[in-house]
Amino acid sequence: QVQLKESGGGFVQAGGSLSLACEASGSSDVLNVMGWYRQAPEKQREMVAFITTGGRANYTDVAKGRLTISRDYAPNAVYLHMNRLEPDATAVYYCFFYTGGHNYWGQGTQVSVSP
């Protein structure tokens, strides 16, 4: 069974930086996609970025040029480096691992940015 373990997050002042990490276990599938969603209070969950097995990174407008996604392969892990954070980045960030037609989610980690 695939399990995702997230770490990082926390509190930061506007303009600061944070990094998130997510490690996947329980899958031997070579082809997969890993990435991040976020959910702000009273808003729907939205995609932030994802990265393929081949290392191709894709960003949504949410990233605004301030976020960088990267990954490792043994074990599968995905990272989100966030710079020049603004209060609108406050949300619970969820990593996901998509492989074999199934999508798995992390438990979520809180990121809070104060003005």
Side-chain angles (χ1 to χ4, degrees):
Q1 183 177 354
V2 175
Q3 292 186 328
L4 302 179
K5 183 178 180 181
E6 299 178 8
S7 60
F11 294 89
V12 66
Q13 288 187 327
S17 300
L18 281 175
S19 290
L20 308 180
C22 174
E23 183 176 310
S25 61
S27 173
S28 59
D29 290 348
V30 176
L31 297 178
N32 57 72
V33 176
M34 298 190 75
W36 297 90
Y37 275 72
R38 74 182 189 185
Q39 187 166 17
E42 301 182 356
K43 293 187 177 180
Q44 291 186 336
R45 191 175 295 191
E46 57 184 354
M47 180 177 281
V48 176
F50 65 91
I51 186 166
T52 65
T53 303
R56 184 172 183 176
N58 296 269
Y59 299 93
T60 67
D61 290 341
V62 167
K64 297 180 181 178
R66 293 194 292 264
L67 309 182
T68 303
I69 192 170
S70 60
R71 67 172 296 167
D72 282 328
Y73 297 92
N76 284 306
V78 64
Y79 309 95
L80 190 66
H81 310 283
M82 303 182 288
N83 300 309
R84 294 179 285 118
L85 286 165
E86 296 180 356
D88 63 0
T90 295
V92 178
Y93 285 71
Y94 298 90
C95 76
F96 72 89
F97 179 80
Y98 179 82
T99 186
H102 299 282
N103 197 37
Y104 303 90
W105 293 97
Q107 78 281 5
T109 184
Q110 178 70 47
V111 171
S112 298
V113 185
S114 62

